[in-house]
């Protein structure tokens, strides 16, 4: 659970602004996706880690998916949300990336309004989860520059998304159908 995992790791975040940022998104996620809402969404076995390092390409075409070690039975829409979160890293406009990933998904699969709402929270939720877990890893290995460096894109995405109103994002997503 994103909320539980992130709450348990905020103590490892050393920057007060990032603590506030994490707490903002933890609260937003908890409010938007309480257990009863999650239970009402369609569920399936999902990959749960769709990112560029887990895809096999032939030219520009995806021909395979690797690493099913994170697969779980959860809300189906989380898979596309997680992918959107990953693809938003180091991008100028994370919400635009969310829309483009969702647009591609919607060209093949329909989503309800409840699933579209959950998509937004799943997308930033994966970024938040990665940033909070990185904070813990950095605390365990403070001299590991790689760990600190790889966390930066996630914090940048969250900062850019802080001013996004989830209801406005939902309306944008609904227009993609």
């Amino acid at each position: 659970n994103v909320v539980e995992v992130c709450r348990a790791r905020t103590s490892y975040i050393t920057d007060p602004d990032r603590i506030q940022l994490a707490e903002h998104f933890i609260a937003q996620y908890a409010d938007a996706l309480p257990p009863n809402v999650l239970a009402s969404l369609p569920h399936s076995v999902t990959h749960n880690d769709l990112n560029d390092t887990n895809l096999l390409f032939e030219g520009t075409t995806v021909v395979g998916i690797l690493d099913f070690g994170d697969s779980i039975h959860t809300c189906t829409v989380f898979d596309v949300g997680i992918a959107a979160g990953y693809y938003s890293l180091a991008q100028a406009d994370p919400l635009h990336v969310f829309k483009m990933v969702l647009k591609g998904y919607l060209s093949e699969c329909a989503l309800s309004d409840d699933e579209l709402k959950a998509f937004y929270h799943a997308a930033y939720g994966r970024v938040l989860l990665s940033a909070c877990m990185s904070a813990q890893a950095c605390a365990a290995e403070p001299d590991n520059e790689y760990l600190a460096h790889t966390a930066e894109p996630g914090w940048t995405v969250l900062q850019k998304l802080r001013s996004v109103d989830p209801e406005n994002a939902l309306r944008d997503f609904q227009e993609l159908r």
Side-chain angles (χ1 to χ4, degrees), residues 2 5-6 9 49 85-86 89 124-137 147 150-151 154-155 158:
V2 170
V5 171
C6 291
R9 286 163 178 78
D49 196 25
Y86 279 128
L89 297 173
Y124 76 70
R126 175 48 57 110
V127 177
L128 174 65
L129 186 67
S130 295
C132 289
M133 292 184 75
S134 289
Q136 181 182 18
L147 291 174
T150 57
W155 290 114
L158 294 171

Side-chain angles (χ1 to χ4, degrees), residues 1 40 47 49 52 66 71 94 110 134 145 154 162 169-170 176:
N1 179 308
S40 72
H47 182 277
D49 196 25
D52 59 328
L66 302 171
S71 295
S134 289
E145 290 181 24
R162 182 167 186 143
L170 175 59
L176 297 173

Side-chain angles (χ1 to χ4, degrees), residues 159-175:
Q159 188 59 49
K160 289 177 179 180
L161 293 173
R162 182 167 186 143
S163 63
V164 173
D165 178 341
E167 291 302 317
N168 289 340
L170 175 59
R171 283 190 287 280
D172 289 349
F173 300 156
Q174 289 167 328
E175 290 175 7

Side-chain angles (χ1 to χ4, degrees), residues 3 7 10 22 68 74 84 96-97 111 128-129 137 148 152:
V3 172
R7 276 191 183 139
T10 55
F68 289 84
T74 190
H96 177 74
V97 174
L111 293 175
L128 174 65
L129 186 67
E152 286 306 311

